[in-house]
Structure formats: structure tokens, C-alpha cells
Amino acid sequence: MGQVDLVQVAQKALLYEVTVNPKPGLVDPQSQGAHTDMDVFTFIDSSVSLLPYFQEAVQLGETFNDKGDLTQLFDALRLAGQQAENDMFNATNGVNTHKGAIFSLGILVCATAYLQAQSIPVTTDQLRMTVQAMLVGMSEHDFSKIKQKPVDQLTAGERQFLKYGATGIRGQAEAGFPIVMTLAVPFYQKTSGPLNERLLDTLMMLSSETEDSNLIKRAGSLDILPWWKEQVAQYFELGGSQTTAGMDFLRKLDEICIAKNLSLGGSADLLILTIFVANVLTK
């Protein structure tokens, strides 16, 4: 794959995720979910605004020469990510649609470009090792600064680290996104049927295997996690997206999430990564 292709796959991953429906509490073409400040068009605007960022991520990966220290590649990408956040907020009138994806998808786009430039086959193992090398020490570096930040400037992930010790997406990223590489991508590859249903099942599986930071933030407690796992287990017991009962259950769960102001934003980001990785692996 060349540069244009990687950028296109990244954008496709973003657009696929927002199109999948019905996603519990999340924005899709039919509903704003539990997000009153955004809709599907907000996500499209955001996705389009990130085109230059993904192009830069590809360029950084392709031109990086210091094989001994990939943390420098991540440092350069992070600077580009700051501009991407500004572009996103300008496109969405200040609404955070893709801040998580800017971080995590940007890393994977950059890592994939690096592997291709080095003529290394793009496999889940190679991607995981490359991301790990890029992010050595990131969590320790980032979280060491938290206690000096004013409380009103803390992100949801930082608040949860202080309150629960949860490393969230930073921990997943630093480990090379193992939930994506070893669980979600193989799960998705084994699914069959219409793409919407395949992605719905993958999202639901992901949501039960991760401590979704957005779900925790909106619930205000870790107690939401056992309840959520029960809902996902029931969804799959009913046959998931392959049965009428499973889809009816999911629609009701969506209504419950909207009423309770719950959303699976963290799991949605992981679905984006899964879509991207599944589409860039060397055949």
C-alpha cells in the first residue's frame, strides 16, 4: 500500500465506525445517541478535517531513519496530533468527536507506514512490536505530570488514573494495542454476513473486554462494568446481530444507554483501530 491508500483506510475506518448502527449510546446515522452536541454530520466533518494529519503520519513513518529509537517518531507524531486536534475542533465548533482516534489511529497509521517503508510485512505482531517501540515510557512520562495539573484541566483518562489507577488507552497503546491485535482483529475476521452486523458484534465484544473510559466517566463509577458485561453476554446469548431477538435487545439497550446518558466512546475508538488494522495487513 502507498501513502494515499493508508490515508484512505484511516478515513474509511472513521466513517465505517460512525455508520454502524444501532450502537448503544453512540452517534450513528439514525440517532445522536447520548451525545446531544453532535450527530453523524459532525463526525463526517471531523473525519474530513483529519486528512492532512493522516497524510503527515504516513510521511513521518515513511521518512523516519533512526531504527534504534522509535520514540522520536512518536514525539514527532504527537506534535502533528496537537495540530490535528485544533483542526478537529475548528471543524466541529469545539466538539470532541475524534480526540481519542487522533491519538490511537495516528499511531497505527504512522507505524504501518514505517513498516511498509522498511519493506517489513504488516502483521499484527509487527504492528504491536513497532507501536511498543514507539511508546516506550509514555505512560510513566504522561502520568507523572498529572498531579501538577489543575483539576479542571485533567482529561477523563487522567481523572480515572488518579481515582482508579486505570491507565486506559495509554496503557493499551503502550502495550501495542493487544486487545485489537490478539482479540478484535481475529474476531472480526471470523465474522460473516453484512458488514454492519459484523462490526456491531465486534464492537459489543470489545466493549465487554475493555474498561471503557467513556462508559466509566458517564456512569461515575466502576460499578457500571459488571452490569455492562451482563448486557453484552445476554446480547450474544440471544444470537447477537444474527438474530431478530439479538437486534431487538440491542435497540432496547441503546434506549437504556440514551436514558442513562451512557456511551461506549472508548470501545468505538477500538473498533476504528480494528477496522484499520484488518484492512492494512499484508495478505
Side-chain angles (χ1 to χ4, degrees):
M1 280 194 174
Q3 175 178 342
V4 173
D5 294 305
L6 282 183
V7 173
Q8 287 179 348
V9 174
Q11 286 211 305
K12 181 163 74 170
L14 295 178
L15 295 173
Y16 273 24
E17 183 279 321
V18 77
T19 303
V20 175
N21 68 93
K23 300 188 298 288
L26 290 165
V27 173
D28 63 43
Q30 308 299 323
S31 168
Q32 290 178 262
H35 299 267
T36 57
D37 58 345
M38 60 183 83
D39 59 22
V40 67
F41 296 105
T42 318
F43 275 81
I44 293 172
D45 289 342
S46 176
S47 300
V48 172
S49 78
L50 297 180
L51 177 65
Y53 170 59
F54 293 130
Q55 290 172 332
E56 187 168 359
V58 169
Q59 185 176 14
L60 287 170
E62 287 181 339
T63 58
F64 187 76
N65 294 317
D66 188 351
K67 298 180 184 179
D69 188 5
L70 284 173
T71 61
Q72 294 179 16
L73 178 57
F74 176 61
D75 290 341
L77 178 68
R78 217 166 199 188
L79 286 175
Q82 293 172 2
Q83 179 59 51
E85 283 189 17
N86 291 334
D87 293 342
M88 173 195 73
F89 284 126
N90 286 335
T92 63
N93 294 315
V95 176
N96 175 15
T97 43
H98 286 127
K99 190 171 182 179
I102 289 171
F103 171 74
S104 52
L105 183 56
I107 290 170
L108 284 179
V109 170
C110 190
T112 306
Y114 172 79
L115 288 174
Q116 291 183 162
Q118 302 297 322
S119 298
I120 300 172
V122 181
T123 64
T124 51
D125 284 344
Q126 287 290 352
L127 272 174
R128 189 174 69 248
M129 289 187 292
T130 303
V131 171
Q132 287 173 332
M134 288 172 64
L135 271 55
V136 170
M138 179 198 63
S139 291
E140 182 180 0
H141 173 270
D142 286 4
F143 288 129
S144 67
K145 296 181 176 181
I146 291 177
K147 293 180 181 178
Q148 281 74 49
K149 290 179 69 173
V151 175
D152 61 348
Q153 292 182 18
L154 293 174
T155 65
E158 290 169 344
R159 290 174 191 271
Q160 288 174 29
F161 175 76
L162 290 175
K163 190 172 182 180
Y164 310 119
T167 56
I169 191 61
R170 284 182 177 88
Q172 263 294 314
E174 197 169 39
F177 300 109
I179 193 172
V180 171
M181 303 301 174
T182 65
L183 195 61
V185 170
F187 179 94
Y188 170 69
Q189 289 173 329
K190 291 177 182 177
T191 59
S192 59
L195 185 56
N196 184 68
E197 281 76 358
R198 296 176 64 197
L199 293 174
L200 269 179
D201 284 351
T202 305
L203 171 70
M204 293 299 284
M205 182 279 296
L206 276 166
S207 72
S208 68
E209 296 293 336
T210 186
E211 296 184 348
D212 191 306
S213 59
N214 194 252
L215 185 64
I216 296 169
K217 179 184 76 171
R218 284 173 171 256
S221 169
L222 290 175
D223 294 341
I224 193 67
L225 298 177
W227 175 81
W228 183 257
K229 286 180 181 291
E230 291 175 3
Q231 307 311 305
V232 176
Q234 187 171 350
Y235 167 72
F236 282 113
E237 285 169 9
L238 290 169
S241 69
Q242 302 301 306
T243 67
T244 301
M247 289 300 290
D248 286 345
F249 178 82
L250 194 61
R251 292 186 186 94
K252 291 176 183 175
L253 189 56
D254 184 26
E255 293 174 1
I256 291 170
C257 286
I258 293 171
K260 292 180 177 290
N261 195 36
L262 299 175
S263 175
L264 299 172
S267 302
D269 284 345
L270 293 174
L271 181 63
I272 290 169
L273 304 187
T274 302
I275 296 166
F276 177 80
V277 172
N279 280 278
V280 299
L281 294 177
T282 301
K283 305 300 182 185

